[in-house]
Amino acid sequence: MLKKVFASAVFGVEASTVTVEVNVDKGIGYHLVGLPDNAIKESNYRIAAALQNNGYRIPGKKITINMAPADLRKEGSAYDLTLAIGILAASNQIKAEDLEDYLIMGELSLDGSLQPIKGALPIAVKAREEGFKGFILPRQNAKEAAIVNDLKVYGVDNITQVINHFDKGELLEETIINTREEFYKNLDFPEFDFADVKGQESIKRCMEIAAAGGHNIILIGPPGSGKTMLAKRLPSILPPMTLHEALETTKIHSVVGRVKAHAGLMAQRPFRSPHHTISNVALVGGGSYPQPGEISLSHNGVLFLDELPEFKREVLEVMRQPLEDREVTISRAKFTVTYPSSFMLVASMNPSPGGYFNDPDAPVTSSPAEMQRYLSKISGPLLDRIDIHIEVTPVPFEKLSDDRKGESSVDIRKRVTAARELQTQRFKDLDSVHYNAQMNTKQIRAYCKLDEASLQLLKSAMERLNLSARAYDRILKVSRTIADLEGSQSVLGNHISEAIQYRSLDREGWLG
């Protein structure tokens, strides 16, 4: 007898429906076809034990299972439940009239209980598109899948519940969540707060400007000056995610199985901080069966690269195109997959290998040759894509021992959000630009017009500080953001003069 059960395969951040055809016939043998990987080929051992331990069995007949489309590679253990229910229905051990109305997925343990799967959210989106009545999956993933409206989601703990649902008509418990309510409930509780940072007022101001315009930023300072502490608090002042951004971000994290168990929509912006030994595939994504990399996991959030010159040069170079295009396309012989990667880059570095450049009291000093070798690890084209360079100095003892609390992240976020709203209005007719950092040269000329005095100020600063041509556009973008924070329509001289301070690495004597 032939039975069809439906599952799904995730490719990139999208899912494709897989039809599992189970045919039980005279003879002996177990044949699984349709490009399954090793985890799926091993599933018959898990299925046999799970059925045995729950009072059922794999029939001693010829079982042929086809996973269609047969030319699409299937991977992972999430098809165990699909195959098990298909075998039971095809061998007439259970009645299953409405089996084709459901999409069924889950990994089986030997006792019949279910383990979580990856990609529950994109699979649920596809199930709704294809018009399925319901989606049966492990309970740990139910909240994540229930984000999708107009689809009944049933979280189950054990294969017996699924069998009883089809065979005995015992209704499964539907998982219902109010997506908007869940989302807004978790928005205003940042884990790290700027109120904890002592001193560093100028750097906090710099972080506020970076957050308001979505600018990439690099912090340069000796060990212990608070670079990592400041970077970790940046997501807390970014504007809250919109529902659309939250869905997009959750989708990417779902594909790699990073959504916390029993969690629904991600409400906080992601903060990723990979170690400097990371490979370029781990950073941008890829592999023999493609997975999103760190730059996609930080989509709509912050990617923090601590000790930037310690990263391998070729790893940093692969980031250049995604930083520009805000998406990464991975091409292999048999497939091409695109992942979104619109993130804010925050980098930190010591000013020299010893860490104490230009510090007369430093315990360690580096020779000019060592300095040059250290700083040359960061290429000009990468620095090109970083709008703000700021030097971080150690905090004096008086500030450290001060009991007064600094300004909280919630207060700073209000100003940042107001500035972002101005930008949203300004760029409402442009599809690819949402905030100042995304402006191209043409838009900079249109929205960053200077009066004669400001132009002269910028000209003399560029000549006196020997700033490069690449700094020109960056200064204009940053000054536009400073003007937005003040609610100013036009870019004025004081906005330009503040933006000029944030180009430390372009000055003579830093990078040769």
Side-chain angles (χ1 to χ4, degrees), residues 39 52-53 65-66 108 149 203 323 370 373 429 447 464:
Q52 187 80 44
N53 290 326
I65 301 172
N66 177 38
L108 280 172
N149 52 10
I203 317 299
L323 273 170
E370 283 177 322
R373 193 161 57 246
D429 299 330
Y447 299 116
R464 194 172 306 157

Side-chain angles (χ1 to χ4, degrees), residues 140 146 150 171 182 289 295 309 341 390 415 418 478 488:
Q140 295 98 310
D150 301 329
L171 293 178
E182 288 272 319
Y289 201 79
I295 62 172
S341 60
I390 187 76
R415 295 197 294 271
V478 173
S488 167

Side-chain angles (χ1 to χ4, degrees), residues 17-29:
T17 302
V18 172
T19 308
V20 177
E21 301 169 324
V22 184
N23 191 58
V24 177
D25 209 349
K26 287 177 186 156
I28 285 181

Side-chain angles (χ1 to χ4, degrees), residues 458-478:
L458 183 52
K459 183 180 179 222
S460 62
M462 289 192 74
E463 286 168 358
R464 194 172 306 157
L465 297 170
N466 202 21
L467 293 174
S468 64
R470 78 165 77 113
Y472 179 72
D473 280 356
R474 306 287 160 183
I475 288 170
L476 286 176
K477 277 187 190 182
V478 173

Side-chain angles (χ1 to χ4, degrees), residues 409-474:
S409 289
V410 175
D411 293 336
I412 301 172
R413 182 194 258 185
K414 282 176 189 158
R415 295 197 294 271
V416 169
T417 307
R420 280 280 179 107
E421 279 164 5
L422 283 176
Q423 294 164 47
T424 305
Q425 276 300 108
R426 182 182 303 133
F427 304 125
K428 66 177 183 291
D429 299 330
L430 301 168
D431 285 343
S432 57
V433 183
H434 305 292
Y435 42 85
N436 291 337
Q438 295 174 325
M439 285 192 288
N440 61 26
T441 312
K442 183 182 169 189
Q443 287 142 6
I444 291 170
R445 299 289 171 271
Y447 299 116
C448 307
K449 289 194 172 77
L450 301 182
D451 57 28
E452 196 53 44
S454 305
L455 209 55
Q456 284 306 315
L457 172 70
L458 183 52
K459 183 180 179 222
S460 62
M462 289 192 74
E463 286 168 358
R464 194 172 306 157
L465 297 170
N466 202 21
L467 293 174
S468 64
R470 78 165 77 113
Y472 179 72
D473 280 356
R474 306 287 160 183

